[in-house]
Amino acid sequence: MRIRSLGVIDDAVVELSPGFTAVTGETGAGKTMVVTSLGLLLGGRADPALVRIGAASAVVEGRISVPPGATAAVRAEEAGAELDDGVLLVSRTVSAEGRSRAHLGGRSVPVGLLAELADELVAVHGQTDQQGLLKPARQRGALDRYAGDAVAVPLAAYGEAYRRLRAVVAELDEITTRARERAQEADLLRFGLREIEAVEPRAGEDVELAAEAERLGHAEALASAAALAHGALAGNPEDPEAVDATTLVAGAGRALDAVRAHDPSLAALADRMGEISILLTDVAGELAGYADDLDADPRRLAAVEERRAALTQLTRKYGEDVTAVLAWAQESAARLTELEGDDDRIGELTAERDALRAELSVLAQALTDARTEAAARFADAVTAELASLAMPHARVSFDIRQTESADEASGIEVGGRNVAYGPSGADEVELLLAPHPGAPPRPIAKGASGGELSRVMLAVEVVFAGTDPVPTYLFDEVDAGVGGKAAVEIGRRLAKLAKSAQVVVVTHLPQVAAFADRQLLVEKTSDGSVTRSGVTVLEGEDRVRELSRMLAGQEDSETARAHAEELLATARADA
């Protein structure tokens, strides 16, 4: 991460190890800003008070390695972000006026998208910022993954049946609650279909009738024009002296035929004249036939107009033309069949609903049994871890319960009771903690102090390592209120967790820092700010000096140095 103008940090780069990174430094040096920076990258609330005095804005930039095909990668790409060889670039800017901007993979995105990705990328455990497993829904998901196939198999079958049941119930509700509307719709469809059936339109009939009406309406003009054209082409029997086109063309053809032998080009014209003569004769014949066939009957015209009026009544209601009216009738007939089959469909859906509810009851009971068995193993393992984390008397347990359903129709039967259910079964799962003997088990968010809560989360994550898909864990002051042997055990367990995930810890304890693969020192300059060189990777002698300071407050104390070297040797031996 690169952090600029955030709190006491002026400009600094934080290089995190793929394994276990410990962030150390004097109180007030700005270690918490590392946690705050990561929180901003994960869509946390933007507080303008975080912006360094005198700066216009604070900026945090990060490079996050995301496996190809991971949920976070897919969601980021859907938002338009680009991954650079499996690396996702994230930035967050907070202005002194309180405005906030987020960028993901080079694309401006809503801050809410960063928060959405956070659940898939980082689990944060701190004194005031608890995420992940503090949410009951996440606790149930965590328990389910820990249980493995014992829960996964019935849960998959349950999910499929649950989705089908929701679809069935929705269709039933739609049919029954809209019974009056559906009856009214059926009546309208029947009326329309009866109207269309009474007229019996044919596809394209309206176009044919329009053409016939146009012809009948102008029959006299058409007949007169045809007779005049025929007379001009073929002659008028009542006027033998009149000259017609056919006679003239025939005479021209005979004149050319008489001399065609003397010039081939004239012969070609003679042939064409012959063709014209034939064509004129054909046209004249067709005009005669047209005039004979032309129907000028006014009764036929009236019948056509009456039929067109009936078709117009249909097109005004059911479609722009007769073809559209017939399509409406076909669709409406199918819809009417569906509506008239409501009673039969209700019976089918009711039977399917009851069968699905019975199936869900069996699967929900199987889920409860599998979760109960896994919860006992999970709780025992976490309790054993807590004994080594300065909480020897703490006891962790799971509360797996069901809520009575308000009425029989909204629940399913599990364990002889009608209970509410959801997409993951009928169980409400909550992780409880009894911090000492005699204390009643309470939800972990309420039953533990800040330091205890971080240790409980650490114990849970260690037990859960390998089954939780979150690749990065951030612990802020996980060591609060502990020391000595317990602190060593915390360091050892963080190192164990870091074998399967990235772990970042802000700590005051040298026993914890000694187990880190990389130790970062945050220190201020003389003007009270943290600059780029103010966050350094400690190696060799520098790391021994910092651990000595953390142990005794004296970097050059021989006793502290010996103890620091011993801690490092212990950590390396465990590795």
Side-chain angles (χ1 to χ4, degrees), residues 9 203 269 275 351 365 378 387 450:
I9 298 181
L269 291 173
E275 293 172 2
Q365 183 64 61
F378 194 100

Side-chain angles (χ1 to χ4, degrees), residues 179-247:
R180 180 177 298 176
E181 295 177 20
R182 292 169 71 90
Q184 292 173 346
E185 182 186 356
D187 285 343
L188 289 174
L189 293 176
R190 290 191 194 95
F191 178 81
L193 289 170
R194 282 197 297 268
E195 271 197 314
I196 296 172
E197 184 179 357
V199 176
E200 295 183 341
R202 293 182 293 102
E205 183 182 2
D206 49 344
V207 177
E208 296 172 7
L209 290 174
E212 186 178 359
E214 184 73 14
R215 187 170 63 253
L216 290 172
H218 299 82
E220 292 184 4
L222 294 170
S224 176
L228 183 62
H230 180 268
L233 293 177
N236 187 347
E238 298 178 0
D239 186 6
E241 300 297 327
V243 178
D244 58 82
T246 302
T247 301

